Structures are given as structure tokens and as C-alpha cells.
Amino acid sequence: AELGRSYGRLLARGPFGLAPTAGEFETKVAERTSLDVVAARRATEAVLETLAERIAGGEVQDLIERLPVELHPPLKMGNTLSNGEARSMSLDEFVGRVAEREGVSAGEAREHTRAVLRTLREVVGDDEFFDVTVQLPDEYDVVLTGR
């Protein structure tokens, strides 16, 4: 805790090895959306909070173990809002919550959701991403696969 941020990359992030920094995660989201890093951070936080509200608390905890500590607050907030229980919500409702939290249109929120989820998949790996997304109905495929 007393080391500067530059040492963060040297620290193990849970049992799965090193995770990218939050800045690296947000930079990937920025590249995929043409947002600046500050807006990419808002998008990342909005999507992660909404995702944590949508999925079961155990899966939220698994994501927390695999993501940098700076990305934990939105996951914890979403988990708290749902009391750790997966909330049923359509894709349109999910995107609407992201749009409201981020302060953008639904169309922009859909694109940002796709970018954040794509980045999340790269970071946590296919197995964990499957565990998270298996809880989502087929209508979410448009933001999960880009089709």
C-alpha cells in the first residue's frame, strides 16, 4: 500500500496472475470507442456497475479477483444494489441503465457496453467470461459478440 502506482504492475492480482492496470483497461475501451480516457473510464464504470447488478454475487466476486483494484468500486456498487442476487433485465433495460449512469444516448451506451465487455473478456479469459455471460439471455449476444 505504501508503494507508488508504478509498482502496481509487479503485484499479483489474485490467484490468476497479473491483471492489466485500470488505465490499460480504460485505454483499450477508449481505442474501441474513440472516447478520451476520462469518458472511457465513465463508460467502464457504468457498464461494470450494471453488469454487477445483473449477475449473481459470486460471479461479481470472481470478477473482482481478476480485475485491478481501481475497477472494484463499480462492481461492488452494482452488487450492493442487487443485494448480491442477479436481477433480471432485458438488454434494452441494461443499456438504458448504462446510458443513464454514463450520461449518453442509448445508442452510444450500446457501443460502449460492447467495448467494455470485449475488453473484459480479454482480461478475465474465456472461461470466466463464459461463467459471467451464461447468466445473460440470448438477446445480449449483440453486445457480447458484436453481431
Side-chain angles (χ1 to χ4, degrees), residues 56-115:
E59 288 307 323
V60 175
Q61 188 57 44
D62 289 348
L63 288 177
I64 287 171
E65 290 176 4
R66 294 178 187 231
L67 292 173
V69 70
E70 298 88 355
L71 297 179
H72 294 180
L75 292 167
K76 290 177 179 178
M77 176 62 76
N79 197 41
T80 298
L81 289 171
S82 69
N83 293 316
E85 296 182 18
R87 285 190 173 169
S88 179
M89 67 178 79
S90 69
L91 176 61
D92 287 340
E93 187 177 356
F94 185 99
V95 168
R97 287 179 191 215
V98 170
E100 183 177 324
R101 288 176 172 143
E102 192 182 349
V104 298
S105 72
E108 291 169 308
R110 183 179 296 262
E111 291 305 312
H112 301 169
T113 297
R114 182 179 292 123

Side-chain angles (χ1 to χ4, degrees), residues 2-3 5-6 14 25-28 49 52 55 72 75 96 106 110 112-113 131-133:
E2 294 179 23
L3 296 175
R5 287 180 167 258
S6 62
F25 190 103
E26 293 157 354
T27 296
K28 280 218 179 245
E49 182 177 335
I55 62 175
H72 294 180
L75 292 167
R110 183 179 296 262
H112 301 169
T113 297
D131 290 347
V132 168
T133 59

Side-chain angles (χ1 to χ4, degrees), residues 6-21:
S6 62
Y7 288 92
R9 300 206 65 195
L10 302 175
L11 303 174
R13 306 284 186 179
F16 310 103
L18 293 175
T21 66

